[in-house]
Amino acid sequence: MKNQLNNINKSALLASLISVINSKLPEIGELLCSRLVLQFKKNYMENNYKIVKSSIIFISNLVKFEVLSEITILQILQLFLDNDKLNNTSLSLSIEVLKIVGAYLFKNSKKALILIIDRLRVILQENTKVSRDNKKEIDRLLRLNRSNFKHVHIIEEGLDLVEDEDKEIHDIALNEDIESSDHLNYYCEDDKYSENEEKYNSMIEEILEESEDEKEDEKQVVKKEDKVVITDMSKSELLEVQKLVYLTIMSSMSSDEAVHKLLKLCQTKQISNDDILIDMIIKCCSTEKTYSKFYSQIAIKLINKNKKWHKLFIQFFKSYYEKIENFDSQQLRNLGKFFGNLFASDSIDLTLAWNEIKLNEENTNPPKRIMLKFIFQEMIEELGINEVKERLINDDYLTPHITGIFPVVNVDYNDEDLGDDLRFSINYFTAIGLGVLTDEMREVLKDVEENYERGRSRSRSSSRSSYSRSIGSNESFSRSRSRSRSKSRGQSFSRSPSPRGRQSSNENNVTLSRTPCRELAKGSKRSRTPSRESSNIKRQTLRNVLSELK
């Protein structure tokens, strides 16, 4: 009791201890409750507010731990809320009691709690002398009652140590005679000391054995809990850091001030992860309605401060380039101009940033091409077209690292997709108004096409030579056949040629060109009734010409 008077905040902990002792030695629990009620009554009559408050807080916790009956606390509340004795002090004490035992009364004495809440509601409406603090507290209690004390725990976690069947509840009323048993404060000789001491020691051993078992169980639970990995799915810490970075940037009047504040936050460990800082700078820029150089200036100054920021910004550029399809058009524009400004200022090394970009139909999509367009446009706006061309096209150190965008060096002419990639890149830069950057690519494309044509001509010439060799043997055979047949035809010549004679004459016409065919055609137009022999000759001649063409 003396300890509780000096440390009111430990009332719940001491009440938990008393509940354990009361389960084994209920006489001690009853004695403590009796003395507490007597202490309250005495100091209430003397208007000693400090001890009254301490007493009712301890009594309320004992009621909550089911050491003392709730009848006692209900009588105290009735005493405080009586019309004749009602004042702001008694009202504040009633509110203090209900804060502690409100949820317990709602569960075990709901009707009594409803009467008390109704009484507070009437006091709030009719009594004009209620202080402002008490009004706020009463409103809070009314809200808790409407929610059925949903989010209020009766006993704090870890303090409920006694099973329900082991609890001993003592009924002590305010209006009854209570014995304080003051004689127990003094030493008296015990005739049965050894017998009682043995009983006491056996009881202590029983309690301590149970406590040791509980300790072992707790150790096992702790070991199990150590293996559990807790993941914060709400990401509350991340949100707090992001909020801190955002407010710091928005409250800065210049980029120098923003960089100074952000670096100070990093030094004081308020921002423990550099990735969060860079990510928030980029996100703040992307969410603006129009692009602002304020954010790119912050990034440039950070990069100039330390090399670690340079590596991180390169990583974030590649990351945002890969997931750029998740952003809308305005965010695409802001991100493109943000990184374009960093590239134009030489803050980021292009050999490390652009080495994985491939500007072709297969490896890009519309959002990526739009982002690259804004990057190039921002670079030209900052440097001018001639300077950009000098850096990207004429720089012998840079060009081998950006062949995915400008494939003009280390060209593999055996690559079948090279011509398509060159055409795509040329068409892309021409479409966004930067055709001047494609001059060298056009020359490379000509070389690629010429190399391809030479390869085709070689294959054609080889196929033609094999074809001509096969045809040469056929021509010699046909010539020998035509010569022998012409001799026989000269010896047996007649006006009405035989079928055999027509066949020999047609074979002689195998080597006719297209001109005799046209002449035959003209002749056919003049003679409307051609002879049977001439028509047969014409048809056979056309067949021969077609076969030769094939």
Side-chain angles (χ1 to χ4, degrees):
M1 288 173 64
K2 290 180 180 179
N3 195 331
Q4 193 270 338
L5 280 174
N6 297 323
N7 300 282
I8 298 178
N9 295 329
K10 293 183 179 180
S11 298
L13 180 63
L14 294 172
S16 176
L17 173 64
I18 294 300
S19 67
V20 176
I21 297 173
N22 183 66
S23 64
K24 304 298 181 182
L25 299 170
E27 296 84 3
I28 295 178
E30 184 179 9
L31 178 62
L32 175 69
C33 293
S34 299
R35 291 190 175 187
L36 276 173
V37 173
L38 285 173
Q39 178 179 276
F40 164 73
K41 291 172 67 175
K42 177 185 176 182
N43 289 280
Y44 181 76
M45 298 301 294
E46 296 175 355
N47 290 325
N48 191 340
Y49 173 77
K50 181 180 178 181
I51 298 180
V52 167
K53 182 178 180 180
S54 174
S55 301
I56 63 168
I57 289 176
F58 204 0
I59 290 171
S60 300
N61 279 284
L62 289 173
V63 170
K64 185 170 68 173
F65 281 91
E66 298 187 72
V67 177
L68 184 62
S69 173
E70 67 268 17
I71 295 174
T72 307
I73 204 68
L74 289 173
Q75 289 178 339
I76 292 174
L77 288 171
Q78 184 181 5
L79 178 66
F80 285 157
L81 298 176
D82 187 15
N83 285 327
D84 297 335
K85 301 177 181 180
L86 182 66
N87 53 40
N88 280 312
T89 301
S90 62
L91 190 58
S92 64
L93 290 173
S94 302
I95 293 169
E96 196 70 32
V97 170
L98 289 173
K99 285 181 181 179
I100 300 172
V101 297
Y104 177 82
L105 292 177
F106 181 82
K107 181 180 179 182
N108 298 281
S109 301
K110 190 173 182 180
K111 293 181 179 180
L113 178 65
I114 292 173
L115 293 175
I116 295 170
I117 294 295
D118 291 339
R119 175 64 180 150
L120 289 175
R121 188 180 290 107
V122 172
I123 292 172
L124 183 63
Q125 294 174 355
E126 296 180 357
N127 196 325
T128 58
K129 296 182 179 180
V130 179
S131 65
R132 182 180 298 177
D133 293 338
N134 286 337
K135 286 181 179 179
K136 290 181 180 179
E137 293 297 330
I138 293 173
D139 286 335
R140 181 173 176 272
L141 284 172
L142 294 176
R143 287 195 300 271
L144 288 174
N145 180 62
R146 285 195 295 271
S147 65
N148 298 330
F149 293 86
K150 186 176 181 180
H151 300 291
V152 179
H153 297 285
I154 296 176
I155 298 178
E156 290 81 356
E157 185 178 359
L159 296 182
D160 190 7
L161 305 175
V162 182
E163 300 294 336
D164 291 340
E165 59 270 13
D166 296 333
K167 292 179 179 178
E168 291 286 341
I169 302 176
H170 305 285
D171 294 326
I172 300 176
L174 290 179
N175 52 2
E176 68 181 14
D177 294 334
I178 303 172
E179 295 183 2
S180 61
S181 302
D182 291 335
H183 65 279
L184 297 175
N185 296 338
Y186 302 99
Y187 173 76
C188 297
E189 185 178 354
D190 187 6
D191 297 335
K192 299 180 180 181
Y193 173 78
S194 59
E195 182 180 348
N196 291 332
E197 191 69 15
E198 288 179 3
K199 291 181 180 179
Y200 180 72
N201 289 331
S202 63
M203 191 178 296
I204 288 177
E205 289 177 2
E206 182 182 355
I207 295 173
L208 291 177
E209 284 178 2
E210 291 183 0
S211 62
E212 289 294 330
D213 294 338
E214 290 177 356
K215 286 181 180 179
E216 290 295 328
D217 294 338
E218 289 179 358
K219 287 180 180 179
Q220 292 178 1
V221 170
V222 169
K223 288 179 180 178
K224 291 180 180 178
E225 289 179 351
D226 290 340
K227 296 179 182 179
V228 177
V229 178
I230 300 174
T231 304
D232 185 10
M233 301 302 292
S234 62
K235 298 182 179 180
S236 56
E237 295 183 1
L238 175 62
L239 293 175
E240 287 297 324
V241 176
Q242 289 178 338
K243 182 179 178 181
L244 178 62
V245 175
Y246 176 79
L247 294 176
T248 303
I249 293 174
M250 292 303 169
S251 62
S252 302
M253 297 298 293
S254 64
S255 58
D256 291 324
E257 181 183 353
V259 171
H260 175 71
K261 290 180 178 178
L262 293 173
L263 291 176
K264 192 172 182 180
L265 291 175
C266 294
Q267 291 174 357
T268 56
K269 302 299 181 181
Q270 293 180 336
I271 303 177
S272 58
N273 194 340
D274 297 334
D275 292 350
I276 300 175
L277 174 59
I278 295 177
D279 190 43
M280 280 305 298
I281 294 172
I282 299 173
K283 284 181 178 177
C284 288
C285 178
S286 66
T287 54
E288 293 287 342
K289 293 183 179 179
T290 57
Y291 168 68
S292 174
K293 290 185 180 179
F294 172 72
Y295 301 99
S296 58
Q297 291 299 317
I298 293 175
I300 292 171
K301 287 179 170 61
L302 284 175
I303 293 171
N304 293 333
K305 290 284 184 181
N306 197 323
K307 291 183 179 180
K308 69 175 182 178
W309 302 108
H310 176 259
K311 295 180 181 179
L312 291 173
F313 271 104
I314 290 176
Q315 293 176 7
F316 272 89
F317 167 72
K318 293 183 176 181
S319 174
Y320 272 85
Y321 179 76
E322 291 299 325
K323 62 181 181 181
I324 196 64
E325 60 270 7
N326 299 327
F327 296 89
D328 57 29
S329 57
Q330 183 59 40
Q331 292 174 329
L332 278 173
R333 182 178 182 275
N334 290 348
L335 290 173
K337 287 183 169 292
F338 174 83
F339 286 110
N341 207 315
L342 297 184
F343 295 140
S345 62
D346 271 345
S347 299
I348 295 181
D349 189 358
L350 293 179
T351 61
L352 301 176
W354 289 5
N355 58 343
E356 297 178 1
I357 298 177
K358 294 182 179 180
L359 186 58
N360 52 40
E361 188 173 3
E362 180 181 357
N363 295 293
T364 59
N365 52 27
K368 289 182 179 180
R369 294 193 284 269
I370 292 171
M371 182 181 181
L372 289 175
K373 181 188 79 169
F374 286 118
I375 288 175
F376 284 112
Q377 288 180 347
E378 182 66 19
M379 292 178 68
I380 289 172
E381 185 177 343
E382 292 291 322
L383 302 173
I385 187 65
N386 294 329
E387 180 66 21
V388 171
K389 185 176 181 180
E390 187 68 25
R391 289 190 182 186
L392 301 181
I393 307 299
N394 299 332
D395 190 346
D396 296 335
Y397 172 74
L398 176 62
T399 48
H401 299 280
I402 58 173
T403 54
I405 303 176
F406 299 99
V408 294
V409 297
N410 301 329
V411 177
D412 183 10
Y413 288 96
N414 296 323
D415 187 1
E416 297 179 356
D417 298 329
L418 178 59
D420 295 335
D421 294 347
L422 281 166
R423 291 187 192 91
F424 186 89
S425 183
I426 291 169
N427 293 335
Y428 171 77
F429 283 106
T430 305
I432 65 175
L434 300 178
V436 68
L437 300 178
T438 65
D439 294 342
E440 191 167 353
M441 285 192 291
R442 293 177 188 273
E443 295 178 0
V444 175
L445 180 61
K446 288 180 182 179
D447 296 338
V448 171
E449 290 176 346
E450 289 176 0
N451 184 63
Y452 179 69
E453 289 297 331
R454 283 195 297 268
R456 288 185 61 187
S457 62
R458 289 171 185 169
S459 62
R460 287 178 180 174
S461 62
S462 61
S463 62
R464 285 177 181 174
S465 61
S466 62
Y467 176 75
S468 61
R469 285 194 295 270
S470 63
I471 292 298
S473 60
N474 293 333
E475 286 181 351
S476 59
F477 175 72
S478 62
R479 286 173 183 173
S480 61
R481 288 182 62 190
S482 62
R483 287 175 183 174
S484 61
R485 291 190 178 181
S486 62
K487 290 180 181 179
S488 62
R489 187 184 173 191
Q491 292 174 358
S492 60
F493 177 79
S494 63
R495 290 188 177 180
S496 58
S498 64
R500 188 174 181 181
R502 282 198 301 270
Q503 184 178 359
S504 63
S505 65
N506 290 336
E507 290 176 355
N508 289 330
N509 291 328
V510 171
T511 57
L512 291 175
S513 63
R514 293 185 181 181
T515 304
C517 293
R518 284 196 292 269
E519 291 177 354
L520 288 172
K522 291 178 182 179
S524 63
K525 288 182 181 179
R526 293 193 191 110
S527 59
R528 294 182 181 177
T529 56
S531 64
R532 183 177 179 181
E533 181 181 358
S534 61
S535 61
N536 291 333
I537 293 173
K538 185 174 79 171
R539 283 195 296 270
Q540 187 63 32
T541 304
L542 289 173
R543 291 193 192 98
N544 295 334
V545 171
L546 290 174
S547 63
E548 182 184 1
L549 291 175
K550 289 181 180 179

